[in-house]
């Protein structure tokens, strides 16, 4: 996406921006970024109703609670860690990033500096030799718990005990260390096998009053400060009470559904990824909720079955991926006719496409609330409230 030339530039602009490509708006001041996002929402969404003022972040820096670094060597043999140059597999060396958690960045730099002493070789993608491919650090924003995942090309790691002990001595805040084994020639960071080197192999964090277990692979929102605002807005729009029946579609690890279950009568969640559903079920138990159930299925198939069985919900939350929802889901949603739909979107373009369908099939857009979940990038998140017309739908 292009930026205008007469922008006020950001005094904290990143020197690696061009090579990395992750923060498309970083050369604008934060205030300007918010105006850019607001204007983008208005262009795409104002035909459906008024776009509320975007909810920005008070301190829009170092918000990412999950940091991932690729490890390798330069031609001269120097060990480097950082991100892949956009569109390539060349590593751009990054020691600190304006969006990443400061402690996580420090841990990654210290691991890099410790490697020679422990004779740990970085993995060479072309030759398929060496060991360390990536380091992933996740930090619980509320709990302060820290997980370090070392991604190795094999399970052969002779110095693992000594290395882990030295790392813990340098960073006593680390609560768990996991070795993930990824021998495959793949773009995926994590492999299937894991060995816990220290602690219990996961961290926990609290979001909107619920505790969530975060394992190396589980999806968790990367900006917890803004996620609380987004979910808070979604709950405000839904106006739940103890009689409300809720469907959480595209529920991931159950975050929205479990926050809703604190107030609502009953919650059903549906999600395609089986690992995420397992996490949702264990999060449900962890929080002592007995009014929520989670199912693994395609949201469209599931919604169609519910509609055919005459299952009714008062509120449907839907939080699909960037590609938006499916026609099947929307048509079955309309057939099951919930009073309210709260659509949480990470892509205003597919949101506009789906709102077009919903507004032609009996729903009216009541509120459009953008929230800035990813400062400095061009990503835009919105929570939208739709309410069913009194006369029902015009299928
Ligand atoms: N609501 C969650 C996750 C949103 S991300 C949260 O706030 O954390 C979107 C989710 O939709 C992902 O977990 C993805 O696995 C899931 N998904 C993608 N396609 C799907 C489909 N066809 N049916 C059900 N879930 C799907």
């Amino acid at each position: 996406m292009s930026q205008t030339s007469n922008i006020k530039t950001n005094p904290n602009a990143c020197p690696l921006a061009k090579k990395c490509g992750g923060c498309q708006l970083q050369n604008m001041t934060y205030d300007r970024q918010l105006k850019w996002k607001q204007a983008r929402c208005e262009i795409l969404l104002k035909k459906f109703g008024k776009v509320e003022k975007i909810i920005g972040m008070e301190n829009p820096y170092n918000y990412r609670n999950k940091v991932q670094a690729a490890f390798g060597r330069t031609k001269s043999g120097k060990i480097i860690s950082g991100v892949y140059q956009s569109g390539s597999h060349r590593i751009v060396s990054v020691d600190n990033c304006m969006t990443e958690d400061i402690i996580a960045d420090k841990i990654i730099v210290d691991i890099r500096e410790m490697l020679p002493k422990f004779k740990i070789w970085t993995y060479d993608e072309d030759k398929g030799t060496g060991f360390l491919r990536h380091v992933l650090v996740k930090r619980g924003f509320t709990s302060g718990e820290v997980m370090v995942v070392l991604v190795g090309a094999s399970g052969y790691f002779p110095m693992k005990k000594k290395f882990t002990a030295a790392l813990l001595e340098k960073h006593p805040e680390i609560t768990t260390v996991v070795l993930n084994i990824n021998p495959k020639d793949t773009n995926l960071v994590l492999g299937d096998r894991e060995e816990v080197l220290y602690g219990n192999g996961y961290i926990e964090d609290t979001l909107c009053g619920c505790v969530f277990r975060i394992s190396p692979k589980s999806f968790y929102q990367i900006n917890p400060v803004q996620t609380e605002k987004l979910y808070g807005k979604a709950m405000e729009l839904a106006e739940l009470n103890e009689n409300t029946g809720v469907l959480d579609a595209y529920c991931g690890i159950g975050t929205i559904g479990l926050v809703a279950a604190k107030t609502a009568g009953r919650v059903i969640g549906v999600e395609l990824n089986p690992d995420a559903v397992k996490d949702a079920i264990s999060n449900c138990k962890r929080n002592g909720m007995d009014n929520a159930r989670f199912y693994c299925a395609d949201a469209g198939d599931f919604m169609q079955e519910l509609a055919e069985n005459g299952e009714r919900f008062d509120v449907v939350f839907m939080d699909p991926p960037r590609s938006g929802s499916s026609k099947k889901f929307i048509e079955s949603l309309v057939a099951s006719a919930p009073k309210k739909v709260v659509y949480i979107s990470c892509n205003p373009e597919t949101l506009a496409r789906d709102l077009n369908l919903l507004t032609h099939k009996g729903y009216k857009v009541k509120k459009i609330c953008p929230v800035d979940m990813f400062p400095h990038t061009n990503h835009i998140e919105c929570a939208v409230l739709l309410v069913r017309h009194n006369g029902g739908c015009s299928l």
Side-chain angles (χ1 to χ4, degrees):
M1 251 164 269
S2 70
Q3 296 149 31
T4 50
S5 55
N6 61 344
I7 51 172
K8 287 211 181 80
T9 52
N10 186 354
N12 302 318
C14 173
L16 297 173
K18 273 216 175 101
K19 279 189 172 169
C20 160
C23 296
Q24 303 83 357
L25 307 187
Q26 56 77 45
N27 60 336
M28 299 183 192
T29 60
Y30 187 54
D31 192 42
R32 184 77 204 189
Q33 292 177 21
L34 291 177
K35 290 200 173 96
W36 185 90
K37 292 188 182 187
Q38 183 82 29
R40 185 103 197 100
C41 285
E42 276 166 17
I43 290 168
L44 290 162
L45 305 171
K46 82 166 177 238
K47 63 178 169 220
F48 301 106
K50 179 174 174 257
V51 178
E52 303 281 311
K53 187 165 177 238
I54 187 166
I55 302 175
M57 200 172 178
E58 224 166 274
N59 172 16
Y61 294 98
N62 308 105
Y63 58 84
R64 281 189 73 104
N65 58 1
K66 171 185 153 186
V67 177
Q68 208 161 274
F71 275 68
R73 278 175 187 265
T74 60
K75 280 202 182 104
S76 62
K78 191 175 153 229
I79 301 175
I80 49 169
S81 62
V83 295
Y84 289 121
Q85 184 160 354
S86 49
S88 87
H89 255 223
R90 197 171 318 135
I91 296 170
V92 179
S93 173
V94 178
D95 283 1
N96 49 67
C97 160
M98 66 161 124
T99 68
E100 292 173 354
D101 182 78
I102 293 171
I103 294 176
D105 279 350
K106 279 198 181 119
I107 292 173
I108 290 169
V109 169
D110 285 337
I111 289 178
R112 192 180 68 211
E113 286 171 358
M114 286 164 67
L115 297 182
K117 186 172 164 205
F118 291 88
K119 300 196 174 50
I120 298 170
W121 290 84
T122 57
Y123 182 67
D124 183 320
E125 268 193 339
D126 300 326
K127 296 190 189 128
T129 54
F131 174 72
L132 188 66
R133 299 179 74 143
H134 300 270
V135 172
L136 167 67
V137 179
K138 295 188 182 188
R139 181 158 172 265
F141 177 76
T142 315
S143 66
E145 293 178 19
V146 178
M147 170 164 61
V148 174
V149 185
L150 307 165
V151 185
S154 75
Y156 183 68
F157 184 12
M159 296 284 260
K160 63 188 175 194
K161 281 203 176 124
K162 284 188 179 146
F163 179 80
T164 306
L167 181 61
L168 288 166
E169 198 175 315
K170 244 189 174 74
H171 288 281
E173 70 277 15
I174 294 173
T175 49
T176 189
V177 181
V178 178
L179 170 66
N180 176 281
I181 301 154
N182 187 1
K184 289 191 190 149
D185 181 14
T186 167
N187 280 340
L188 293 178
V189 172
L190 297 176
D192 296 329
R193 278 194 297 145
E194 268 173 24
E195 183 188 339
V196 177
L197 303 181
Y198 173 75
N200 47 19
Y202 60 85
I203 55 168
E204 288 190 333
D205 199 23
T206 304
L207 192 69
C208 299
C210 291
V211 180
F212 293 96
R213 175 189 286 205
I214 305 159
S215 43
K217 279 193 182 159
S218 57
F219 172 84
Y220 188 63
Q221 294 281 356
I222 55 137
N223 183 341
V225 172
Q226 292 300 92
T227 303
E228 289 220 327
K229 291 185 194 160
L230 177 72
Y231 289 177
K233 189 47 96 182
M235 296 304 142
E236 183 191 310
L237 297 177
E239 292 180 304
L240 306 172
N241 63 48
E242 69 279 8
N243 299 318
T244 319
V246 168
L247 176 71
D248 177 10
Y250 307 90
C251 69
I253 59 164
T255 24
I256 295 172
L258 290 174
V259 174
K262 289 199 294 179
T263 316
R266 72 186 178 105
V267 173
I268 285 183
V270 60
E271 161 64 45
L272 195 57
N273 176 341
D275 290 334
V277 177
K278 270 190 213 143
D279 283 341
I281 294 168
S282 78
N283 286 328
C284 186
K285 286 195 193 121
R286 174 70 179 79
N287 289 282
M289 306 276 191
D290 56 8
N291 58 343
R293 298 275 175 280
F294 294 92
Y295 298 91
C296 185
D298 166 73
D301 293 347
F302 193 77
M303 193 74 228
Q304 189 178 46
E305 211 176 303
L306 291 176
E308 282 169 5
N309 292 341
E311 278 261 9
R312 294 282 174 263
F313 296 95
D314 302 294
V315 176
V316 172
F317 290 99
M318 54 188 284
D319 184 8
R322 287 183 59 74
S323 52
S325 190
S326 64
K327 220 169 168 202
K328 187 174 189 177
F329 180 87
I330 292 183
E331 279 170 1
S332 313
L333 172 75
V334 170
S336 95
K339 287 179 217 127
K340 282 184 177 182
V341 175
V342 178
Y343 191 142
I344 295 157
S345 155
C346 56
N347 182 351
E349 275 150 29
T350 52
L351 172 65
R353 181 200 68 199
D354 292 347
L355 289 183
N356 206 27
L357 262 178
L358 283 162
T359 50
H360 278 95
K361 289 180 182 274
Y363 282 85
K364 190 164 173 29
V365 172
K366 289 283 183 184
K367 268 208 163 152
I368 305 171
C369 310
V371 178
D372 191 20
M373 297 283 281
F374 311 105
H376 314 294
T377 76
N378 58 11
H379 295 285
I380 306 175
E381 194 93 9
C382 286
V384 176
L385 171 66
L386 294 114
V387 174
R388 196 165 159 258
H389 284 304
N390 282 339
C393 60
S394 50
L395 270 174

